[in-house]
Amino acid sequence: MRITNITANIAGKNQNNLLAYVNVVFDDCLIVRGIRIVEKLDGKRLMLMPSRLTKAGIYRDMCHPITVPFRNLIESAVMSKVLVLLESNNATRTV
């Protein structure tokens, strides 16, 4: 499975630690919407898969990579795209 398209949108300045929303297309057949990129207090950036709140009050991933190599592939491509977007828009910030 290969990534055929990534779109990213920078979050607003008042979104606390949220940096961007990302959509990823695989093999021009499947899209995963709502991936979030957040920045922790120590400056590390994390990729969070789309999730929803259940009736039990627990957040559950709607989809997620099963293998570590596939997660690393997605994370590397997504983080590269977001970094370029942040730099091009001078949107880098510290929390």
Side-chain angles (χ1 to χ4, degrees):
M1 186 169 281
R2 63 188 175 88
I3 296 172
T4 51
N5 191 22
I6 298 174
T7 57
N9 296 305
I10 300 298
K13 296 279 186 193
N14 60 349
Q15 293 291 326
N16 296 329
N17 63 342
L18 180 65
L19 296 177
Y21 290 101
V22 181
N23 300 326
V24 180
V25 177
F26 297 95
D27 290 335
D28 289 324
C29 296
L30 173 70
I31 187 167
V32 176
R33 296 182 188 270
I35 296 172
R36 292 167 294 152
I37 306 301
V38 297
E39 187 170 61
K40 294 172 48 174
L41 293 176
D42 63 5
K44 290 183 182 178
R45 293 178 178 166
L46 299 175
M47 178 182 75
L48 304 175
M49 297 304 288
S51 61
R52 66 181 180 92
L53 185 62
T54 65
K55 290 179 182 178
I58 300 168
Y59 281 96
R60 301 281 309 225
D61 283 348
M62 294 172 62
C63 65
H64 58 87
I66 294 174
T67 66
V68 173
F70 191 59
R71 180 177 183 84
N72 291 342
L73 172 80
I74 297 169
E75 194 168 272
S76 174
V78 165
M79 291 298 195
S80 294
K81 177 77 171 190
V82 169
L83 183 61
V84 167
L85 189 60
L86 286 171
E87 288 176 352
S88 69
N89 289 330
N90 291 325
T92 57
R93 58 186 174 165
T94 57
V95 176

